[in-house]
Amino acid sequence: MSDVPPGPAIGERVDDAADIDEVLAEPVVAAADPGEDAVGALSTAEAPPTPGVAIGPELPPDAGVTGPRGIAAFDFDGTLARQDTFVPFLRHACGNRRVALAAATAARTTRDRDVLKLAVLASLLRGWPEDRLAEVGAAYARRLPALLRPEMVTRLRWHQDEGHRVVLVSASLGTYLRPLANALGLDAALAVEMEVGPSGLLTGAVQGGFNTRGPAKVARLREWLDGSVGADA
């Protein structure tokens, strides 16, 4: 087995206060610019690390996740990437003004970040054709390599060289993380996925009805790993 590359310990969250929106840790509150305050609360970078989310080649026994070989599960925003990518994607797809308006409108009815996020996604993306979202996501994904932390990419490559399965587990959108994961040669990107109706248009809801944040990340990883183990059997 090769030496672990230098840098933070495997799974250590690398935080950069300049890049992570501190409003994440606070409920949405009235501000001089409520729209911008609400937009800031949409950020998916998590600081401090969420308890119970294991990041590294081996998950702790109490995570309830097992597998035939090592697995490295990387958070994305604020960990593999040096900043939030969710809000910039919404602005890329819908424009600054529409995002700010949707966030401010949602913030009038909820102080919960997860509920706020789902409401904004519904407002902005309901009625989009599935292929339009895929096209915009793929275009945005091509921008993301420039945001990756070199030391974290080195760790990711080390895990791949060791034969570990490497996955992204993120509260950001799969429409751009799946193309990025494919480009990086990763095994999966477990992220928020938009629900598509029978007509091929987005319903505005997310698959499963929940945000992939905090403990939900372990649940998504467990579900994926159980399925991949079954497929390998």
Side-chain angles (χ1 to χ4, degrees):
M1 179 178 292
S2 61
D3 292 336
V4 180
I10 295 174
E12 180 177 327
R13 194 69 65 101
V14 181
D15 293 322
D16 186 338
D19 290 329
I20 297 177
D21 194 339
E22 293 298 333
V23 78
L24 267 178
E26 303 294 337
V28 177
V29 295
D33 187 343
E36 282 305 307
D37 184 62
V39 170
L42 293 172
S43 168
T44 64
E46 295 182 22
T50 304
V53 178
I55 308 293
E58 302 294 343
L59 298 174
D62 60 2
V65 181
T66 59
R69 70 180 197 263
I71 177 168
F74 285 84
D75 188 17
F76 191 68
D77 292 351
T79 300
L80 187 57
R82 64 174 61 94
Q83 66 186 55
D84 172 66
T85 60
F86 177 71
V87 174
F89 170 76
L90 295 182
R91 288 171 168 155
H92 166 77
C94 304
N96 292 344
R97 189 166 185 170
R98 286 194 62 206
V99 173
L101 178 60
T105 301
R108 296 192 188 105
T109 61
T110 182
R111 300 172 70 88
D112 181 281
R113 292 195 304 279
D114 291 334
V115 176
L116 174 70
K117 176 179 177 178
L118 298 181
V120 169
L121 284 173
S123 174
L124 293 175
L125 300 181
R126 183 186 293 115
W128 274 43
E130 181 182 16
D131 56 357
R132 179 186 175 193
L133 180 66
E135 181 180 349
V136 174
Y140 184 71
R142 291 193 285 272
R143 302 181 177 187
L144 298 180
L147 301 180
L148 301 182
R149 296 180 185 273
E151 70 274 20
M152 298 306 287
V153 173
T154 297
R155 290 194 163 275
L156 183 152
R157 295 306 186 197
W158 178 84
H159 287 297
Q160 290 178 317
D161 291 343
E162 292 296 302
H164 301 152
R165 283 174 290 184
V166 182
V167 300
L168 297 178
V169 188
S170 175
S172 285
L173 289 171
T175 191
Y176 61 83
L177 288 185
R178 283 182 280 103
L180 177 67
N182 288 337
L184 294 174
L186 307 187
D187 292 271
L190 310 179
V192 174
E193 300 287 354
M194 300 303 298
E195 180 181 86
V196 182
S199 63
L201 301 180
L202 304 187
T203 66
V206 302
Q207 293 180 16
F210 60 87
N211 189 18
T212 308
R213 189 169 71 88
K217 290 183 177 180
V218 173
R220 285 292 305 277
L221 183 59
R222 181 187 300 119
E223 179 183 6
W224 174 80
L225 190 52
D226 288 346
S228 67
V229 170
D232 293 341

